[in-house]
Amino acid sequence: MAKNTIKVNLHTEEIPTKWYNILPHLPPGYPPPLHPKTFNPPPSPDLMQLMSRLFPKECLMQAASSEPEIEIPDEVLQTYVSVGRPTPLQRATRLEKKLGTPAKIYFKREDVNPVGSHKPNTAIAQAYYNMKEGVERLTTETGAGQWGSALALACCLFNMDCTVYMTRSSYLTKPGRKTVMEAFGAEVFPSPSDRTDAGKKFLKQDPNHPGSLGIAISEAAEDCFKHENTKYSLGSVLDFVLLHQSIVGLEAKRQMELLDQYPDIVVGCIGGGSNYGGFSYPFLQDKLKGKRKDTRYIAAEPTAVPSTTKGIYEYDNGDTAEIVPVVKMYTVGHTYQCPPIHAAGLRYHGKAPSMSYLIHKGLMESRAYGQREAIEAADLFAKTEGFIAAPETAHAIKATIDLALECKKTGEEKTIIFNYSGHGLLDLRVYEEYRSSTLKDFEASKEMLEAGLRALPKIPA
Ligand SMILES: Cc1ncc(COP(=O)(O)O)c(C=O)c1O
């Protein structure tokens, strides 16, 4: 393929047929999840019982697998293809020119499916495994509504019911996402809601509570425990979710090979870490095996929820009501009051345990950006490349532009690749606020961080 090719498409039959599991390649000592009350690690019966009440067996087996490759079931592959996989890899030549950078910028198009983000990659797999095990209904949380619409789509395709708890701030500001979920047959409630004990508790504290992903997870998990034939589905953070997302990086790696390129810098935004983990791990496996050691891995998070840049690497609860397992991760604390930023999918207090471990070990880096500078970068991307990014993705674009400008200073012709995790066509309000100069920035204050970190669980030594 010519070096100046600006778009690489894979044929349908070139879709990867196995996911990449990074777990066997992680440095030794990866900390296990713990039960939220007893703090017992696997294989203690209380933790295993909790996990299997929430998730399908197959996903739990994947999370414990030491196989680096895991077969993608045929029906999942067919469904991936039917909703738009493989996705294109594109070069942002107009952006490069506008920046005057010698760097080459590539982006992986995860916006090209019915809901417009990477989220169907795991929604389809999770709904499929649940359906196979006879589960009839899935509950979940959603921040921006991207994950909720992906699970609603997957449940619709596999004939299952779906209930979504959507953080109230997004429920009010992103009504289009609710319409999408309902179009696929899901029921959607603003969280905190009066349908669960956890929701009622937070509503009592504040009837206009903006909600958080941590609270919505508690509500969805409680709903799952209280109903027969119902399981819970999580859109990020867990090892098996990142495994399903590895289809993104596997395709991108193949596409780069066709261009005879290997990235010097791999960029993505992080909410719980699933799009960036899925995108970067197939490349990072080379570094973990002692090859391609110079490639840098840079994750972008919001200054409003700076888990990896200002939080700590500790065991913390996955949800605010302390129902789901405790994991070791970079966190600002499960009670942290997440400001209502537009990138609602980045409002999660912690980051995926595997990614946190890699950052802790110095194998990945991270940077934090305010929403104004992120949207300014996304606005430039729209004006040069013609794509209006999701506010979450805007953080990856900002990091990419900064890195390309660093190359301009040094004159280095680096190859930068980022995950275009979703489009922003249902998030236009953030662009309107940016245009009218009313877009506010939120920075986590010392007091907010101290308050969030005070409530970490006390794990017995
Ligand atoms: C478009 C988009 N990008 C990124 C994210 C962040 O989530 P994760 O870190 O799990 O990929 C979200 C979450 O909703 C999203 O909708």
Side-chain angles (χ1 to χ4, degrees), residues 137-176:
R137 174 174 170 260
L138 293 178
T139 63
T140 199
E141 72 295 330
T142 195
Q146 294 264 25
W147 164 244
S149 34
L151 193 70
L153 167 69
C155 284
C156 170
L157 297 175
F158 291 114
N159 273 323
M160 299 170 78
D161 293 330
C162 182
T163 300
V164 183
Y165 292 87
M166 183 174 192
T167 53
R168 183 178 303 276
S169 53
S170 296
Y171 186 90
L172 297 174
T173 55
K174 298 178 195 272

Side-chain angles (χ1 to χ4, degrees), residues 226-242:
K226 286 184 174 160
H227 292 95
E228 298 255 300
N229 246 334
T230 298
K231 291 226 169 176
Y232 163 70
S233 197
L234 184 64
S236 191
V237 180
L238 298 176
D239 293 331
F240 66 77
V241 177
L242 274 65

Side-chain angles (χ1 to χ4, degrees), residues 116-119 142-148 177 213 235-237 241-242 245 269-277 343-347 351 355 389-394 419-423 427:
S117 80
H118 62 291
K119 295 286 183 183
T142 195
Q146 294 264 25
W147 164 244
R177 281 280 163 205
L213 278 168
S236 191
V237 180
V241 177
L242 274 65
Q245 290 293 353
C269 65
I270 47 170
S274 74
N275 87 85
Y276 186 53
L346 306 186
R347 284 180 74 228
K351 299 293 163 273
M355 187 171 292
E392 292 82 3
T393 314
N419 197 22
Y420 187 78
S421 59
H423 72 62
D427 304 281

Side-chain angles (χ1 to χ4, degrees), residues 195-215:
R195 289 170 50 89
T196 64
D197 295 340
K200 282 183 202 149
K201 185 180 126 198
F202 292 106
L203 272 185
K204 204 165 156 199
Q205 284 168 13
D206 175 3
N208 297 314
H209 201 301
S212 69
L213 278 168
I215 295 173

Side-chain angles (χ1 to χ4, degrees), residues 381-439:
F381 192 70
K383 290 195 164 66
T384 49
E385 294 297 326
F387 293 98
I388 297 177
E392 292 82 3
T393 314
H395 291 71
I397 297 175
K398 170 65 181 156
T400 300
I401 289 179
D402 278 6
L403 289 158
L405 290 174
E406 285 167 27
C407 289
K408 183 176 175 176
K409 269 198 204 134
T410 59
E412 287 169 296
E413 288 179 33
K414 297 216 158 153
T415 299
I416 307 171
I417 179 169
F418 76 93
N419 197 22
Y420 187 78
S421 59
H423 72 62
L425 295 177
L426 292 172
D427 304 281
L428 294 176
R429 193 156 151 182
V430 68
Y431 287 91
E432 285 157 21
E433 287 183 16
Y434 170 70
R435 196 122 295 119
S436 60
S437 304
T438 54
L439 184 60

